[in-house]
Amino acid sequence: QVQLQESGPGLVKPSETLSLTCSVSGGSVNSFYWNWIRQPPGQGLEWLGYIHYSGVTKSNPSLKSRITISIDTSKNQFSLKLSSVTAADTAVYYCARDAIAYDYWGPGRLVIVSS
Amino acid sequence: DIQMTQSPSSLSASVGDRVAITCRASQGISTSLAWYQQKPGKAPKLLVYAASKLQSGVPSRFSGSASGTDYTLTISSLQPEDFATYYCQQYYSARTFGQGTKVEIK
């Protein structure tokens, strides 16, 4: 059974960089695409970006150059960095496996941007 | 960018009702569409992929269909556990979610 788990700070100061890691167990990141999605409190889902084990990435144009997604196949995990955060980046952040659509999700990590 | 317009944003229904939720894509996406169910405080759950294929373990009262750039999720007989928020998602080009439909108890 594939399991994903997000980890990282739950509180980030404005203008700093949000960093999260998604650890994958029961499967390998050497297949499929691996995604980050977020959900602001009380709002809908927003796709942030994905990475393939080959290193190919694609991200939401709305994030412009603030987002970096990387993968570490030796640790079977992938990561998200979002720079210059503001209160608008406060959300639950999810990682998800993208086989044909998102068949496995992490439980989510609430990240609050506040000083 | 491909936009997904989902409707309605909310609906009230009773147990046993037939419910339909629609998403319209801003351009052709073939059958690259998925539907998810989300309950409060939980990650979304995949219901349907490739517009009409039911994910393993999902009850058969859920079904998906497509007509042109319009996609529909139908629940044939609403059950108490189906009260939740539903999202469509296109994966034809990048990824985009619809705005969500909250299904509430009438």
Side-chain angles (χ1 to χ4, degrees):
Chain A
Q1 177 76 349
V2 177
Q3 292 186 313
L4 290 77
Q5 180 68 55
E6 305 90 349
S7 60
L11 181 64
V12 181
K13 290 182 168 55
S15 80
E16 296 190 344
T17 296
L18 179 158
S19 296
L20 293 174
T21 294
C22 182
S23 299
V24 179
S25 59
S28 172
V29 297
N30 286 316
S31 298
F32 309 121
Y33 289 80
W34 302 90
N35 285 239
W36 288 99
I37 302 104
R38 72 180 178 183
Q39 185 171 38
Q43 297 185 40
L45 300 167
E46 180 184 22
W47 172 71
L48 300 181
Y50 65 59
I51 188 165
H52 188 255
Y53 74 91
S54 64
V56 169
T57 61
K58 193 171 186 72
S59 59
N60 190 323
S62 69
L63 299 172
K64 297 180 182 174
S65 57
R66 294 202 297 135
I67 186 171
T68 302
I69 300 175
S70 59
I71 195 164
D72 188 335
T73 55
S74 66
K75 293 182 179 179
N76 217 36
Q77 61 188 29
F78 61 106
S79 299
L80 168 72
K81 291 188 185 300
L82 188 64
S83 64
S84 305
V85 298
T86 69
D89 295 308
T90 293
V92 175
Y93 286 76
Y94 295 101
C95 58
R97 188 180 87 164
D98 192 346
I100 299 178
Y102 298 160
D103 55 351
Y104 290 99
W105 295 67
R109 177 70 172 155
L110 174 61
V111 179
I112 296 171
V113 178
S114 174
S115 56
Chain B
D1 299 357
I2 299 175
Q3 308 302 318
M4 301 302 296
T5 303
Q6 187 173 341
S7 61
S9 57
S10 66
L11 64 91
S12 296
S14 300
V15 172
D17 283 353
R18 182 181 182 89
V19 167
I21 299 167
T22 299
C23 263
R24 174 168 290 174
S26 60
Q27 63 188 76
I29 59 169
S30 186
T31 57
S32 301
L33 184 106
W35 290 98
Y36 300 88
Q37 176 193 67
Q38 187 180 33
K39 295 183 177 179
K42 300 294 187 182
K45 172 188 172 184
L46 178 63
L47 299 176
V48 171
Y49 63 96
S52 62
K53 297 185 186 301
L54 209 61
Q55 174 71 345
S56 175
V58 174
S60 59
R61 63 181 179 272
F62 291 92
S63 63
S65 63
S67 177
T69 58
D70 290 341
Y71 300 83
T72 301
L73 175 72
T74 302
I75 309 173
S76 60
S77 177
L78 202 62
Q79 297 302 299
E81 60 268 31
D82 300 337
F83 292 95
T85 300
Y86 294 83
Y87 294 92
C88 64
Q89 180 213 26
Q90 68 81 19
Y91 48 91
Y92 183 82
S93 175
R95 306 289 185 265
T96 315
F97 288 98
Q99 300 91 332
T101 296
K102 186 172 185 179
V103 177
E104 299 176 300
I105 301 173
K106 182 182 268 185

